[in-house]
Amino acid sequence: MSDIKVAINGILGKMGQSVLNATLNADGITPISGCDSEKLIKSDHINTSSGKVNLYSDLALALDNVDVIVDFTNADVAREVISLAPSKKVHCVIGSTGLSENDFSNAKKESEKHGTSIIIAPNFALGAVLMTYLIKESAKFFDYADLTEVHHEAKIDSPSGTAISMAKAAHEGKNGNFKAPKSEKELIDGARGADYNGVVIHSGRMPGRVAHHEMVFGALGQTLTIKHDSINRESFMPGVVMSIRASMKQKGLTVGLDKIMGLE
């Protein structure tokens, strides 16, 4: 069986470079092209241990002769991938956050129309996905939930897409809202954090962090804490490689790595 040929969108960014290294080291997968902003491209290729990876600023060119595109950019660029890749019979693995329900509907339509696979996940760290699963299973036993997430200072959105997924999982697991007491006197606006159906969410941003998520459930006389830390970007790569392989066997839209891991 021939290797899975991969294109990497945002290849010159930190996540793109991690994906490049992961695919170079994965059996049966070969990165052959990458796409990024024209102002960042200084050469027409990257020399790697498996040969040249061609660089393009035009996404359509980067998609030629590839099986799967991996995208870690932003929502606007991911929308372009979703619109273009399926028509070229290229499967998609997308880690960009900020996509709307309309984007998911469009991804489903495009993947089904062209008989391709689109996998979209808010987090590719296996531990974070397991944490979300445990949150959903635990939620029905508690009345209070506080969720803290901390990322690097350059992260553009808050709360994180993973934190939102965790809050949704808690709400679904409980099949109702949590209790979120309000302070009689809030001396600084926003001190209690954001409120998602009673799940109180606190976002921190600082250097030295990659991704930290901590859920604390509370009930009479006890708390349960579920925590996960990504120490570096390599933590996401086993999930990315798993998704690349899975995309070759699936059709249509898959949202969440939990489906790939068999945690449904």
Side-chain angles (χ1 to χ4, degrees), residues 61-161:
L61 294 177
L63 290 170
D64 285 344
N65 196 37
V66 304
D67 301 307
V68 182
I69 182 167
V70 179
D71 175 84
F72 281 93
T73 54
N74 57 55
D76 289 336
V77 179
R79 291 184 189 105
E80 185 181 358
V81 172
I82 290 167
S83 296
L84 183 59
S87 66
K88 296 176 74 70
K89 300 299 181 182
V90 176
H91 307 296
C92 304
V93 173
I94 297 176
S96 299
T97 59
L99 295 171
S100 67
E101 289 302 318
N102 185 61
D103 295 323
F104 289 118
S105 296
N106 189 50
K108 185 175 187 296
K109 181 185 73 175
E110 290 298 315
S111 60
E112 291 177 352
K113 176 181 177 182
H114 298 287
T116 60
S117 168
I118 297 180
I119 297 172
I120 303 175
N123 198 312
F124 283 88
L126 303 183
V129 179
L130 284 166
M131 177 177 169
T132 305
Y133 174 79
L134 293 172
I135 284 171
K136 186 173 183 179
E137 292 298 303
S138 304
K140 57 181 170 287
F141 300 105
F142 296 91
D143 295 321
Y144 300 83
D146 266 48
L147 176 59
T148 300
E149 59 94 357
V150 186
H151 286 75
H152 56 88
E153 76 283 10
K155 185 170 177 58
I156 61 174
D157 53 348
S158 61
S160 68

Side-chain angles (χ1 to χ4, degrees), residues 172-247:
E172 290 171 7
K174 187 173 179 59
N175 195 29
N177 293 352
F178 290 85
K179 298 176 181 178
K182 303 298 183 184
S183 302
E184 286 188 27
K185 295 182 180 180
E186 192 168 76
L187 302 182
I188 299 177
D189 287 345
R192 282 286 292 127
D195 186 323
Y196 179 86
N197 293 316
V199 180
V200 181
I201 306 175
H202 312 270
S203 294
R205 297 290 177 266
M206 64 181 64
R209 289 285 199 179
V210 174
H212 164 85
H213 294 88
E214 181 173 333
M215 174 69 86
V216 181
F217 286 116
L220 185 63
Q222 62 179 313
T223 61
L224 172 66
T225 301
I226 307 173
K227 181 173 70 171
H228 177 264
D229 285 281
S230 283
I231 308 304
N232 54 44
R233 290 176 178 82
E234 291 178 356
S235 65
F236 306 115
M237 295 306 110
V240 171
V241 171
M242 181 186 294
S243 297
I244 290 171
R245 292 189 172 122
S247 72

Side-chain angles (χ1 to χ4, degrees), residues 31-54:
I32 67 166
S33 67
C35 185
D36 218 309
S37 170
E38 187 173 9
K39 65 182 180 181
L40 297 177
I41 296 175
K42 307 300 182 185
S43 173
D44 63 358
H45 70 275
I46 298 173
N47 287 316
T48 74
S49 57
S50 65
K52 290 183 179 180
V53 174
N54 295 317

